[in-house]
Amino acid sequence: MKIQPAKFLRGKINLPGDKSISHRAAILSAMAEGETRIENFATGADCASTLDCLQSLGVEIKRKNSTIFVKGVGKTGFQKSKTALDCGNSGTTLRLLAGVLAGQNFDSVLTGDESLQKRPMRRIVEPLTEMGANIQAENNCAPLAVYGNNSLESVTYQLPVASAQVKSCILLAGLNAKGKTEVRSPPITNCELRIPNSRNHTELMLQYLGAAIEENFVETENGFVHQVLLEGDSKLTAKNLQIPSDISSAAFFIVAAACLKNSEIVLQNVGLNPTRTAIIEVLRAFGAEIDVLHQREICNETVGNLLVRRRENFASEVTSNIIGGEIIANIIDEIPILAIFGTQIENGLEIRGAQELRVKESDRIAAIVENLRKMNADVEEFPDGFLVKKSNLKGATLDSFGDHRIAMAFSIAALFAMGETEIINADCASVSFPEFFQILSQITK
Ligand code: S3P
């Protein structure tokens, strides 16, 4: 993909459905009693992998553009797949389905592409094993053999990392376990705003579909812990779902419009779940002008329209340019685009405590640093992050490292650069956002 520098962004756009919420919508409506219509289902390959796996497990699914119809089979009504379940590039598909399959009365194999086969799975193997599941995985990596056990025990599990995939995996297994499953997040020091330190879409949707689930903040010696309690005999009743647009996809355009003079864009029906909106707070603190319009609740999730303009006096209100600590898990998918933002703001940006980025679809710290250097940016790499200074970017030939968010973040960097940028293997953007390049060319001038 070849990208030219841009002058500004203009337009009103609708983005595809949120990837995280779409995975959960497909899986939970498959586990529910009754039929579900899901609107604005994510269009990317990752969520298609979830649908394919569910179909291989005997779930009837029909798709008409971005509307999906799912015939629920109930919590234990899945059928053994004839083949290994291919999760493609999608960690969420693999980790969430492992939780579902642990409690079925048949065996399954979950696998994925080269990148997914390198990602850490011990984080789900451990809690599922504690619940009585039998999972075999060489070096704790996919392929994962899940020997189903229909008499799982509930657990109280303290998460070592703030991971929504791991939390959701345990909760989904907990739906088929005896008793009450409890998942506790790593401690946080500030819970005034009552925002969990990993996305809580699974909890909200379980509650929406009628499960007996509770979320609390519990004070412990080390700080506050987000606690989720789920009754194993919870029933799920099918209810139609509308998926908000993906704020993580919106973030690419928000950064572009916040940085390019004379820009003004409106992003409609964006998911504004408080566990996901830290990106807006961070960008605002560094001078971006982002207004939320028509905020409302849809299917237990907060939704709104975003108006993003390039401010005349683009000035930061912060005293430190270091972002680290508890907020990291809430902006984890937006860090590649934040790195690009860092090249455009006065004191640059330093990201710390983000070692999880090294085990995403690519080693995102290494990918960000390598590509920024190719674009002439002043950047330093740390084991847990990077420091990028304000830089005059120049066009370059870059690798996407097969990672959708790296491809899209550097396409935005290309808008700010001098000269043309070429991104090799940019097609991987379709893992989460197949329409990205088309929308980008429509709104850039
Ligand atoms: C996701 C959780 C996050 C995120 C990923 C989607 C989810 O991963 O990076 O893109 O849908 O639960 P972790 O749970 O591994 O932090």
Side-chain angles (χ1 to χ4, degrees):
M1 182 64 66
K2 291 184 176 160
I3 301 157
Q4 310 300 330
K7 291 200 188 72
F8 58 86
L9 270 74
R10 273 287 155 83
K12 197 182 243 193
I13 39 185
N14 276 305
L15 301 173
D18 185 277
K19 180 160 87 73
S20 290
I21 303 178
S22 296
H23 285 296
R24 287 148 174 90
I27 294 171
L28 291 178
S29 52
M31 293 180 92
E33 308 283 339
E35 289 183 31
T36 304
R37 188 182 71 240
I38 309 173
E39 279 169 33
N40 200 32
F41 191 82
T43 49
D46 266 11
C47 292
S49 293
T50 291
L51 296 181
D52 288 347
C53 289
L54 290 171
Q55 282 175 319
S56 301
L57 291 163
V59 182
E60 247 182 76
I61 298 175
K62 283 202 192 98
R63 182 162 199 162
K64 211 172 153 205
N65 305 320
S66 62
T67 304
I68 310 284
F69 301 87
V70 182
K71 257 194 196 167
V73 295
K75 292 193 294 181
T76 55
F78 296 95
Q79 288 161 23
K80 184 180 163 94
S81 168
K82 292 192 186 80
T83 53
L85 296 159
D86 184 0
C87 305
N89 192 240
S90 173
T92 312
T93 305
L94 197 147
R95 293 193 177 117
L96 268 56
L97 285 181
V100 176
L101 295 170
Q104 305 298 319
N105 64 358
F106 56 81
D107 305 336
S108 311
V109 175
L110 286 160
T111 191
D113 70 7
E114 213 183 300
S115 148
L116 188 54
Q117 289 189 31
K118 288 195 200 121
R119 296 181 65 186
M121 293 301 154
R122 188 189 181 138
R123 50 183 67 191
I124 57 163
V125 172
E126 260 177 21
L128 291 176
T129 306
E130 237 180 79
M131 296 176 84
N134 178 2
I135 298 178
Q136 301 298 325
E138 209 174 303
N139 301 320
N140 284 305
C141 283
L144 238 68
V146 182
Y147 300 97
N149 170 2
N150 57 8
S151 53
L152 292 180
E153 295 291 338
S154 52
V155 273
T156 294
Y157 195 78
Q158 171 69 55
L159 294 171
V161 277
S163 162
Q165 293 180 359
V166 178
K167 174 177 61 173
S168 302
C169 166
I170 301 167
L171 292 175
L172 291 170
L175 279 175
N176 282 320
K178 216 184 310 146
K180 200 182 258 186
T181 292
E182 176 176 344
V183 189
R184 290 175 156 239
S185 73
I188 48 175
T189 48
N190 183 352
C191 82
E192 257 167 58
L193 299 173
R194 302 189 70 76
I195 301 174
N197 42 352
S198 66
R199 59 196 73 192
N200 65 347
H201 305 301
T202 306
E203 295 90 310
L204 295 182
M205 199 175 289
L206 279 168
Q207 189 197 46
Y208 190 67
L209 301 181
I213 186 165
E214 230 181 86
E215 286 187 67
N216 303 304
F217 283 89
V218 181
E219 196 168 356
T220 72
E221 268 175 21
N222 305 315
F224 291 93
V225 155
H226 176 241
Q227 173 202 52
V228 187
L229 296 164
L230 174 68
E231 292 289 352
D233 60 7
S234 290
K235 279 208 174 55
L236 302 181
T237 308
K239 258 178 156 181
N240 290 339
L241 298 165
Q242 263 175 282
I243 313 288
S245 294
D246 199 323
I247 188 167
S248 300
S249 299
F252 299 106
F253 301 124
I254 296 175
V255 166
C259 294
L260 286 171
K261 277 188 188 145
N262 298 319
S263 292
E264 179 167 330
I265 57 168
V266 175
L267 301 151
Q268 307 199 97
N269 307 322
V270 179
L272 298 175
N273 177 310
T275 63
R276 302 282 299 281
T277 49
I279 179 66
I280 295 182
E281 303 314 324
V282 169
L283 293 172
R284 272 181 181 155
F286 282 95
E289 183 170 339
I290 306 167
D291 294 326
V292 175
L293 313 169
H294 191 31
Q295 186 165 312
R296 57 210 184 271
E297 295 287 309
I298 297 179
C299 306
N300 239 4
E301 290 280 356
T302 309
V303 179
N305 300 342
L306 298 178
L307 168 63
V308 189
R309 282 177 289 205
R310 159 68 203 231
R311 216 182 238 175
E312 249 338 287
N313 317 314
F314 186 61
S316 162
E317 293 160 10
V318 293
T319 48
S320 162
N321 66 338
I322 305 178
I323 304 177
E326 285 155 17
I327 196 172
I328 291 295
N330 294 121
I331 53 169
I332 194 76
D333 291 341
E334 289 76 62
I335 293 176
I337 189 61
L338 270 179
I340 309 307
F341 184 66
T343 66
Q344 305 300 304
I345 53 177
E346 211 37 54
N347 298 314
L349 206 58
E350 182 170 337
I351 300 283
R352 285 304 186 119
Q355 54 281 353
E356 273 292 301
L357 285 181
R358 295 211 181 263
V359 292
K360 292 291 178 190
E361 288 83 329
S362 69
D363 175 343
R364 285 187 176 157
I365 294 176
I368 288 168
V369 170
E370 185 176 324
N371 280 345
L372 280 177
R373 284 200 178 126
K374 282 192 180 150
M375 296 188 87
N376 206 30
D378 186 352
V379 55
E380 195 179 334
E381 179 171 358
F382 307 119
D384 63 339
F386 53 84
L387 163 64
V388 58
K389 302 232 174 92
K390 183 170 186 181
S391 310
N392 288 322
L393 299 179
K394 73 170 180 16
T397 299
L398 308 173
D399 192 348
S400 71
F401 297 90
D403 183 330
H404 55 128
R405 297 202 199 280
I406 296 296
M408 293 187 279
F410 282 89
S411 302
I412 300 300
L415 305 180
F416 308 149
M418 281 272 286
E420 181 181 87
T421 294
E422 184 173 358
I423 300 181
I424 311 290
N425 189 11
D427 284 358
C428 63
S430 62
V431 156
S432 62
F433 194 177
E435 307 81 349
F436 174 77
F437 288 107
Q438 193 199 335
I439 296 180
L440 185 65
S441 76
Q442 275 167 10
I443 62 171
T444 46
K445 304 285 178 269

